[in-house]
Amino acid sequence: QIQLVQSGPELKKPGESVKISCKASGYTFTDYAMHWVKQAPGKGLKWMGWINTYTGKPTYADDFKGRFVFSLEASASTANLQISNLKNEDTATYFCASEGVLLYWGQGVMVTVSS
Amino acid sequence: DIQMTQSPPSLSASLGDKVTITCQASQNINKYIAWYQQKPGKAPRQLIRYTSTLVSGTPSRFSGSGSGRDYSFSISNVESEDIASYYCLQYDNLYTFGAGTKLELK
């Protein structure tokens, strides 16, 4: 069965960086796009962008241009999200979701940014 | 960018009720809308795609309809397991989630 398994929770200070991973199994990694979705505590879902797992080309939503980087380790069927220069407002759960209409989801990673 | 206006933000229902959630897009999205259910502490689960196509495993009490800019999602005969938040997602031009609707028991 298709599974997306994300890395564990992170506690970071403002200004630091964080890298979250999302390992896919149960399908050919390059068959489906990988999306990233942010959910701040008690808030709704926000689409951050997606990466073409075949070409490696990322597309970022407007609010996530600059400090956010999507990358792949295709040989390991893994997608990564790196956030640099962390701010308090980056505190959120970050989900990866694969397939064109975000059918398959990881369990989410809680990132806490606090001094 | 396409904006999605979802309403109501919250909904109170009794078991067995029918409830309806709406999403209005800022432009025609050509029926490219999906609906998700999210329970606390869990990842969202896709229920419906392309306006009205039920995803495998979605109970038939869930339904979707609409066209152009206006779409709706309904649950007939609400069950206790349906208590959750619901989100629409347009995928006609990039992707945009609605703000969500929290369904509670009356």
Side-chain angles (χ1 to χ4, degrees):
Chain A
Q1 77 283 19
I2 291 176
Q3 275 193 306
L4 301 179
V5 178
Q6 297 185 240
S7 48
E10 301 273 3
L11 175 59
K12 295 290 184 181
K13 291 180 167 44
E16 293 184 336
S17 295
V18 69
K19 190 173 185 178
I20 298 164
S21 67
C22 171
K23 182 169 176 60
S25 62
Y27 70 98
T28 301
F29 185 67
T30 51
D31 279 354
Y32 294 147
M34 189 68 76
H35 299 259
W36 291 94
V37 176
K38 176 183 179 180
Q39 187 168 39
K43 302 296 185 183
L45 304 170
K46 192 162 189 178
W47 182 75
M48 301 174 66
W50 69 286
I51 185 164
N52 184 317
T53 53
Y54 188 75
T55 65
K57 179 186 174 185
T59 299
Y60 301 96
D62 286 345
D63 287 349
F64 298 98
K65 292 178 180 174
R67 298 187 296 115
F68 301 83
V69 176
F70 306 148
S71 63
L72 302 174
E73 296 170 49
S75 61
S77 298
T78 297
N80 301 304
L81 164 64
Q82 183 160 353
I83 311 172
S84 58
N85 189 20
L86 282 161
K87 304 178 186 306
N88 290 333
E89 54 263 38
D90 295 325
T91 294
T93 296
Y94 293 87
F95 294 98
C96 59
S98 72
E99 197 263 353
V101 196
L102 289 77
L103 179 59
Y104 307 107
W105 290 68
Q107 81 275 20
V109 175
M110 181 68 206
V111 175
T112 303
V113 183
S114 174
S115 53
Chain B
D1 290 8
I2 297 177
Q3 308 304 316
M4 298 297 288
T5 302
Q6 184 172 342
S7 62
S10 64
L11 201 46
S12 185
S14 300
L15 298 178
D17 280 356
K18 178 176 180 177
V19 299
T20 298
I21 298 166
T22 64
C23 270
Q24 182 176 67
S26 56
Q27 63 190 65
N28 179 9
I29 56 170
N30 299 299
K31 296 194 169 188
Y32 290 112
I33 188 168
W35 293 91
Y36 295 81
Q37 176 191 69
Q38 188 182 30
K39 296 184 178 179
K42 299 293 187 182
R45 170 194 170 196
Q46 188 181 106
L47 300 177
I48 288 174
R49 60 170 52 194
Y50 196 57
T51 297
S52 59
T53 301
L54 268 60
V55 173
S56 175
T58 301
S60 58
R61 64 181 180 275
F62 294 93
S63 64
S65 64
S67 63
R69 295 175 56 206
D70 298 306
Y71 298 85
S72 63
F73 167 85
S74 295
I75 312 172
S76 60
N77 298 316
V78 167
E79 298 188 6
S80 56
E81 65 185 37
D82 301 334
I83 301 308
S85 293
Y86 292 86
Y87 296 89
C88 62
L89 171 73
Q90 74 79 20
Y91 56 101
D92 180 65
N93 185 343
L94 296 182
Y95 300 76
T96 313
F97 284 101
T101 297
K102 187 173 184 180
L103 175 61
E104 297 173 316
L105 268 181
K106 194 178 291 182

